[in-house]
């Protein structure tokens, strides 16, 4: 019995011993939990410090901060992606206050489409202004005052993936290469080198560069020998290259050791026939202004044909172009008027639309990237006053004109080459308005733009740069009523800054005695 008791007691001791070790494991688990909690809090604190510094800079001058396209892209990315990661981190030990705030504000966060749109805006700027990925990554943009607007390895990788997912391998290569370059230089990152090489090698293959695709895939195999696709891709690329060399009776030439950069590959053509001319004008290249033409341009005071409202204070008028005639008016809008127009427009701003040539219905389009709002004369006395001023200056009736359209072009905002008037193949474009075609355009510039944002005319090589408070005016139709196809124009992407404009499209009806018709196509 004693032995039995001893056994029983030993048994209990054995169980106790187990409990001791269990307790030790629990203590270790508790330490792991504390460590994880401290690590989580440290991570959250690091986030808070970083975002505190960021928001201190951004809120000191929101418009100036968002004027830099990289800042705008990273804001989209932070709110769409990174804040969600922080939310997941906090949810590991739920915090009611944080989650409540997240729930309240989430409805205002950008979504994936917004982040993708911001990424594509950077690529659009990259193309138009011939800027390599390094320039964006290091914040080295013309006119930029924010030298610390940097893109990380992960940022560049996400840019490349955005292009890759859109089958845009040209831009995918540029951004993935930049991501790899920064990683190779020792920059810390979440993304693995194998993932960058995986996407990059296939994108290079899609661009038709087999030798470089093979080299990159070999690097991928060296980094990750067990990669799912690398071995198969490498064998396929090598067979394909061998076949091509055999068919062309050529010998293998190793790829250039020069890194992939802007100009390594040719950008694929798109829907716009005058793309190269348009983008060159946006950069200030290919302008057709010469001494002979400049000698025909003058400045003058304009009183609107002795309009009573302009007699004592005539408008200063400058010729911007001789044929077709484009003029600029100075001091059209005051600071107070610009402020009021922006104030009225901001709550109404939505994705800008274009009129469908077949149906006449307003719709969105990828070639126009801006936010716009329409203001009526009854909205505020300022709008009524601006409309009257446009009528006084141009001598054209505005009661049949369209409402004042206010547009804001932010990061990468643009409007590709287009006509303001409807052509013969789209007779119903303005049918619903019942006021005829757009006879003229009056364009107010309501902001200066640090870089980019010109209004360009590819047909005759003109570029008109925004100057706050000024306005430009031109006729879209000849006196015969025929459209002046030379007036096809574009709003260049805003590289740095924020561009505000207001448009007044004046229609034919009501101009019968103000601009009588003629039988010839003359200005």
């Amino acid at each position: 019995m004693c032995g039995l008791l001893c056994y029983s007691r030993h048994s209990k001791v054995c169980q106790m011993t187990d409990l001791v070790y269990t307790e030790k494991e629990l203590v270790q688990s508790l330490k792991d939990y504390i460590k994880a909690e401290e690590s989580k809090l440290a991570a959250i604190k690091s986030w808070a410090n970083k975002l505190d510094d960021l928001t201190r800079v951004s809120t000191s001058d929101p418009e100036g901060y968002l004027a830099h396209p990289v800042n705008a892209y990273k804001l989209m990315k932070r709110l769409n992606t990174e804040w969600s990661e922080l939310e997941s981190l906090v949810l590991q030990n739920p915090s009611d206050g944080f989650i409540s705030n997240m729930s309240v504000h989430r409805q205002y966060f950008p979504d994936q489409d917004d982040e993708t749109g911001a990424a594509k805006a950077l690529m659009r700027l990259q193309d138009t202004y011939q800027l390599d990925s390094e320039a964006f990554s290091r914040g080295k943009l013309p006119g930029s005052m924010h030298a610390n607007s940097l893109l990380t390895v992960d940022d560049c990788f996400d840019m490349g993936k955005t292009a890759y997912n859109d089958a845009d391998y040209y831009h995918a290569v540029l951004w993935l290469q930049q991501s790899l370059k920064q990683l190779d230089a020792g920059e810390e990152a979440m993304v693995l080198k194998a993932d960058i090489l995986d996407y990059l090698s296939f994108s290079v293959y899609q661009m038709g560069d087999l030798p470089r695709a093979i080299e990159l895939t070999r690097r991928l195999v060296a980094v990750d020998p067990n990669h799912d696709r690398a071995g198969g891709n490498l064998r396929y690329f090598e067979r394909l290259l061998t076949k091509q060399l055999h068919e062309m009776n050529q010998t293998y030439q190793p790829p250039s050791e020069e890194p992939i950069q802007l100009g390594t590959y040719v950008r694929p053509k798109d829907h716009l026939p005058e793309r190269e001319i348009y983008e060159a004008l946006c950069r200030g290249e290919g302008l057709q202004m010469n001494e002979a033409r400049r000698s025909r341009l003058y400045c003058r005071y304009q009183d609107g044909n002795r309009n009573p409202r302009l007699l004592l204070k005539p408008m200063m008028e400058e010729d911007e172009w001789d044929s077709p005639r484009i003029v600029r008016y100075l001091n059209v809008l005051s600071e107070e008027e610009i402020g009021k127009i922006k104030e009225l427009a901001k709550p109404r701003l939505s994705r800008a639309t274009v009129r469908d040539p077949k149906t006449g219905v307003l719709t969105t389009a990828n070639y126009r990237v801006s936010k716009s709002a329409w203001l009526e004369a009854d909205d505020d006395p300022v709008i009524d006053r601006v409309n009257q001023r446009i009528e006084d200056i141009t001598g054209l009736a505005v009661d049949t004109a369209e409402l004042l359209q206010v547009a804001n072009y932010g990061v990468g905002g643009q409007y590709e080459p287009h006509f303001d008037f409807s052509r013969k193949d789209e007779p119903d474009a303005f049918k619903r308005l019942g006021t005829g075609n757009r006879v003229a355009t009056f364009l107010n510039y309501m902001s200066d733009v640090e870089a980019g944002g010109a209004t360009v005319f590819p047909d005759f090589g003109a570029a008109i740069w925004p100057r706050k408070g000024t306005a430009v005016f031109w006729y879209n139709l000849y006196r015969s009523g025929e459209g002046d196809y030379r007036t096809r124009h574009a709003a260049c992407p805003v590289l740095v800054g924020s561009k505000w404009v207001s448009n007044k499209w004046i229609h034919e009806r009501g101009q019968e005695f103000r601009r009588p018709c003629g039988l010839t196509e003359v200005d």
Side-chain angles (χ1 to χ4, degrees), residues 484-498:
D484 187 345
Y485 283 80
R486 298 173 300 172
T487 61
R488 182 172 168 86
H489 60 286
C492 294
V494 174
L495 178 57
V496 180
S498 179

Side-chain angles (χ1 to χ4, degrees), residues 495-520:
L495 178 57
V496 180
S498 179
K499 178 183 174 184
W500 285 87
V501 299
S502 56
N503 295 285
K504 194 70 174 177
W505 286 296
I506 303 171
H507 283 245
E508 290 176 290
R509 183 161 297 175
Q511 318 308 335
E512 294 83 359
F513 298 105
R514 295 176 182 245
R515 191 189 187 228
C517 295
L519 298 178
T520 58

